[in-house]
């Protein structure tokens, strides 16, 4: 049975006239009737699925808002509740959603493998761009937000050595790295940035080990673009008494003594805005949407921990103005 992310009370409200307790109607029938009258979205989540405390959860937050404000239905699949991403995608296809969203560039291959076989199905890839006609793309200017993160890291560093951990070595993560490095060098041209790749987005223990390795090399501000792996880095930074910068959402609460700020990718905003536009305007041509600082796609969370946080907030505002121009 399809996973419908609607409360039972909500379903009952929709079907009050039929009688929520009507024994002649199965729950499957009630849900099917609700689906016929609602726009529906299927979501394919990579890696650890829900609960990554980062990228996937933000995408789902956008759909929760769309459920509440746009009255949509949605369901999800990932490799933890299906045999594989491929199997999860086929389960979503069998549910006949109006949209199917692949969250993260690691879902691109499985989407593109089936897109030609389902020409009437609208797909969306978040965090990558596809050339296929029935796959729209939502991308971000990670380098802009990471530039700000690098500048703050350089101002906070006492050793002149920073650390960066990527989940994978690929074009999206390289945008994080290059923005971070350029922002740091705009403050201190001689600064050193140590770089490691975890080759996973779902292992906090690897994140912690890579953090220890960098701290041993004098890195005193660490930044990870690595999903749940990065949570391990943040918490190890706190244990070791150095600073860190979160990613995707405000990760201050995972290591309150260490996290200066976070480079937020407002995936929830992007997903909600895309779904709203699709419902209202029914676009007929391929959409490739890119979100940066100017349109609230990327930003920095509040600066905390440091004694000169207010001064740094003002500095960030000045840099943002320059980037927008």
């Amino acid at each position: 049975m399809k996973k419908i992310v609607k409360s039972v009370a909500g379903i009952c409200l929709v079907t009050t006239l039929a009688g929520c307790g009507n024994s002649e109607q199965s729950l499957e029938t009630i849900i099917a009737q609700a689906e016929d009258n609602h726009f529906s979205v299927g979501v394919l989540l990579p890696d650890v699925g829900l609960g990554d405390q980062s990228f996937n959860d933000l995408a789902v937050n956008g759909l929760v808002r769309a459920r509440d404000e746009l009255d949509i239905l949605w369901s999800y699949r990932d490799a933890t509740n299906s045999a594989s991403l491929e199997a999860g995608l086929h389960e979503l296809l069998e549910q006949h959603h109006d949209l199917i969203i692949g969250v993260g560039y690691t879902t691109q291959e499985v989407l593109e493998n089936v897109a030609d076989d389902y020409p009437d199905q609208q797909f969306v890839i978040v965090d990558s761009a596809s050339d296929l006609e029935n796959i729209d793309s939502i991308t971000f200017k990670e380098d802009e937000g990471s530039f700000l993160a690098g500048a703050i890291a350089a101002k906070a560093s006492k050793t002149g050595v920073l650390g960066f951990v990527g989940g994978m070595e690929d074009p999206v993560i390289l945008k994080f790295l290059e923005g971070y490095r350029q922002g740091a060098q705009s403050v201190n041209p001689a600064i050193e940035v140590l770089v490691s790749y975890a080759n996973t987005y779902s292992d906090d223990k690897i994140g912690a080990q890579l953090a220890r390795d960098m701290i041993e090399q004098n890195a005193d501000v660490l930044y990870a673009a690595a999903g749940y792996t990065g949570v391990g880095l943040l918490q190890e930074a706190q244990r070791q008494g150095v600073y860190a910068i979160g990613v995707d959402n405000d990760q201050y609460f995972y290591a309150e003594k260490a996290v200066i700020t976070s480079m937020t990718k407002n995936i929830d905003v992007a997903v909600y805005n895309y779904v709203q536009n699709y419902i209202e305007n029914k676009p007929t041509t391929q959409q490739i949407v890119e979100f940066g600082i100017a349109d609230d796609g990327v930003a920095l969370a509040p600066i905390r921990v440091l004694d000169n946080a207010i001064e740094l907030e003002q500095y960030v505002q000045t840099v943002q103005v320059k980037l927008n121009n």
Side-chain angles (χ1 to χ4, degrees):
M1 186 176 70
K2 182 176 177 179
K3 284 191 178 180
I4 297 296
V5 186
K6 268 283 201 193
S7 67
V8 173
I11 292 174
C12 290
L13 181 62
V14 170
T15 59
T16 298
L17 293 178
C20 194
N22 190 339
S23 60
E24 295 181 0
Q25 284 189 303
S26 68
L27 180 59
E28 287 84 355
T29 300
I30 293 172
I31 291 174
Q33 291 172 345
E35 289 172 358
D36 289 340
N37 297 312
H38 286 76
F39 189 89
S40 68
V41 179
V43 188
L44 187 65
L45 300 174
D47 305 307
V48 295
L50 283 178
D52 71 338
Q53 304 173 17
S54 184
F55 196 92
N56 294 345
D57 288 356
L58 280 170
V60 167
N61 288 345
L63 290 173
V64 169
R65 179 185 171 196
R67 177 201 65 192
D68 295 342
E69 297 183 12
L70 306 177
D71 200 27
I72 72 162
L73 298 174
W74 63 273
S75 67
Y76 81 93
R77 289 293 184 272
D78 58 34
T80 64
N81 59 27
S82 302
S84 65
L85 283 179
E86 291 85 352
L89 177 57
H90 281 284
E91 290 173 15
L92 292 174
L93 287 164
E94 290 170 1
Q95 295 168 0
H96 305 293
H97 292 285
D98 296 288
L99 287 175
I100 292 179
I101 301 176
V103 178
Y105 63 89
T106 57
T107 66
Q108 182 168 352
E109 183 177 356
V110 295
L111 292 186
E112 292 184 337
N113 285 343
V114 304
D116 285 339
D117 296 330
Y118 294 85
D120 296 328
Q121 175 66 60
Q122 183 62 55
F123 299 93
V124 188
I125 181 75
V126 179
D127 221 27
S128 190
S130 176
D131 295 329
L132 299 187
E133 186 175 345
N134 58 332
I135 301 181
D136 286 352
S137 304
I138 297 173
T139 62
F140 298 86
K141 298 178 181 178
E142 295 91 352
D143 51 334
E144 289 187 354
S146 292
F147 185 99
L148 299 175
I152 294 301
K155 284 185 171 290
S157 177
K158 299 289 193 279
T159 65
V161 181
L162 308 180
F164 175 87
V165 171
M168 299 284 180
E169 187 175 6
D170 56 57
V172 172
I173 299 304
L174 289 175
K175 286 171 67 179
F176 280 95
L177 171 59
E178 288 310 309
Y180 184 61
R181 180 182 283 131
Q182 290 172 16
Q185 291 176 343
S186 73
V187 173
N188 177 7
I191 204 160
E192 181 180 3
V193 180
L194 306 177
V195 180
S196 292
Y197 296 97
N199 296 318
T200 176
Y201 290 93
S202 58
D203 194 329
D204 60 331
K205 293 181 177 60
I206 290 178
Q209 181 59 58
L210 293 174
R212 286 192 291 271
D213 293 344
M214 290 180 169
I215 293 166
E216 288 177 1
Q217 299 175 69
N218 281 334
D220 62 351
V221 185
L222 308 179
Y223 178 43
Y228 186 66
T229 300
V231 174
L233 175 141
L234 300 179
Q235 294 175 339
E236 185 63 26
Q238 179 162 282
R239 284 190 288 268
Q240 299 283 343
V242 302
Y243 293 126
I245 294 175
V247 77
D248 291 341
N249 58 10
D250 187 351
Q251 295 188 313
Y252 168 72
F253 301 101
Y254 299 123
E256 295 182 6
K257 295 180 181 179
V259 176
I260 300 169
T261 185
S262 299
M263 199 292 280
T264 59
K265 281 174 73 171
N266 296 328
I267 299 156
D268 51 343
V269 174
V271 167
Y272 175 87
N273 287 348
Y274 175 89
V275 172
Q276 181 183 41
N277 178 69
Y278 193 88
I279 292 171
E280 293 177 353
N281 299 313
K282 301 291 191 297
T284 56
T285 58
Q286 187 185 43
Q287 305 289 302
I288 299 178
V289 186
E290 187 176 42
F291 291 85
I293 286 176
D295 40 26
D296 199 29
V298 297
L300 281 191
I303 296 172
R304 306 177 174 100
V305 180
L306 300 175
D307 292 336
N308 59 339
I310 295 177
E311 175 188 332
L312 291 176
E313 290 276 11
Q314 295 171 342
Y315 171 77
V316 166
Q317 292 173 10
T318 301
V319 175
Q320 284 179 324
V321 170
K322 291 180 179 179
L323 289 175
N324 286 336
N325 293 333

